[in-house]
Amino acid sequence: MQFDPNELDHTAVYKLLTGSVIPRPIGWISSISEHGVNNLAPFSYFNAVGDDPPHVMFSTGRGNNTNKDTLNNVLATKQFVVNMVTEELTEQMNSTAQAVHSDIDEFELAGVTPIPSLKIKSMRVKESPITFECELVHHYFLEDHKNGGACVIIGRIVMMHFADDVLMDNYKINLENYKPVARLAGSGYAKIGEIFAVKRN
């Protein structure tokens, strides 16, 4: 079957896209408002986009043409932290996906510990074994939208934090200790399953 996204209901497009592009890493983004309120929210439209220098991206939807707190904070402060999500943090991460008032501190809501970053004001999640301090370098609002669209955020990593037990020799990551989770469609999530190697020619 073929589908022209311009002729489909938005819900259908969302289901087809998020059910096909899987698994997706989760960017658990922490930011801080201009008034000093911590914010923490997960985004599965997230990935690394380059390493020279290191950059990451995430995209935040704008339902009803309304910015989420994360987007408002990042545009105002030009900073954010990516906290990587592990199996042990899945429930806490999920609790921060709900829409709450901008005065609510989602660190407290999720029961996780805010700790200072070294180069930016946004706090980090202490329980996350890998965190990236980022500075905003670019943002782009999707054009020709019908429901508010989304805003793509690109940030430059200015500091990396790794727990000792997720690192091996030569900067390699110990996946058995890291135990990351990824987003699937609907309420589905995935753990690291069978790993196989394919050598490049």
Side-chain angles (χ1 to χ4, degrees):
M1 300 179 70
Q2 293 82 37
F3 301 101
D4 182 338
N6 293 314
E7 298 176 358
L8 282 180
D9 179 80
H10 176 254
T11 301
V13 174
Y14 174 81
K15 288 181 179 179
L16 291 169
L17 186 62
T18 59
S20 301
V21 184
I22 56 173
R24 298 186 306 281
I26 303 167
W28 202 12
I29 307 299
S30 55
S31 59
I32 190 168
S33 74
E34 292 181 292
H35 305 293
V37 179
N38 292 324
N39 182 266
L40 184 61
F43 297 88
S44 69
Y45 289 156
F46 161 78
N47 219 315
V49 293
D51 55 60
D52 182 23
H55 282 70
V56 293
M57 65 75 58
F58 73 95
S59 177
T60 170
R62 299 184 63 254
N64 298 317
N65 291 292
T66 301
N67 289 355
K68 293 184 178 180
D69 294 335
T70 299
L71 179 56
N72 286 332
N73 292 347
V74 172
L75 293 180
T77 66
K78 307 295 189 291
Q79 299 175 342
F80 62 93
V81 175
V82 176
N83 306 274
M84 301 306 294
V85 180
T86 63
E87 294 177 23
E88 293 182 351
L89 291 171
T90 302
E91 290 298 328
Q92 291 95 321
M93 174 275 299
N94 188 53
S95 72
T96 63
Q98 60 185 302
V100 297
H101 194 274
S102 59
D103 289 339
I104 300 297
D105 185 327
E106 279 97 349
F107 281 83
E108 294 181 6
L109 181 69
V112 293
T113 310
I115 56 174
S117 296
L118 295 182
K119 291 190 174 183
I120 66 175
K121 292 183 178 179
S122 299
M123 304 294 276
R124 298 182 292 122
V125 175
K126 180 181 180 180
E127 292 80 4
S128 175
I130 300 175
T131 60
F132 302 130
E133 299 180 28
C134 301
E135 293 181 344
L136 175 68
V137 296
H138 183 66
H139 72 278
Y140 167 70
F141 288 91
L142 300 187
E143 299 173 348
D144 196 30
H145 58 77
K146 299 177 182 177
N147 302 285
C151 183
V152 180
I153 297 289
I154 297 178
R156 178 170 180 166
I157 299 174
V158 295
M159 182 61 67
M160 299 175 164
H161 303 265
F162 292 83
D164 292 345
D165 65 348
V166 301
L167 280 178
M168 299 188 297
D169 293 339
N170 198 27
Y171 305 102
K172 293 182 179 179
I173 304 298
N174 185 326
L175 291 178
E176 291 184 2
N177 291 341
Y178 180 17
K179 297 181 180 179
V181 295
R183 191 77 164 87
L184 302 177
S187 59
Y189 289 84
K191 302 176 183 179
I192 293 293
E194 179 183 357
I195 299 175
F196 62 94
V198 179
K199 292 185 178 181
R200 295 183 178 181
N201 294 329

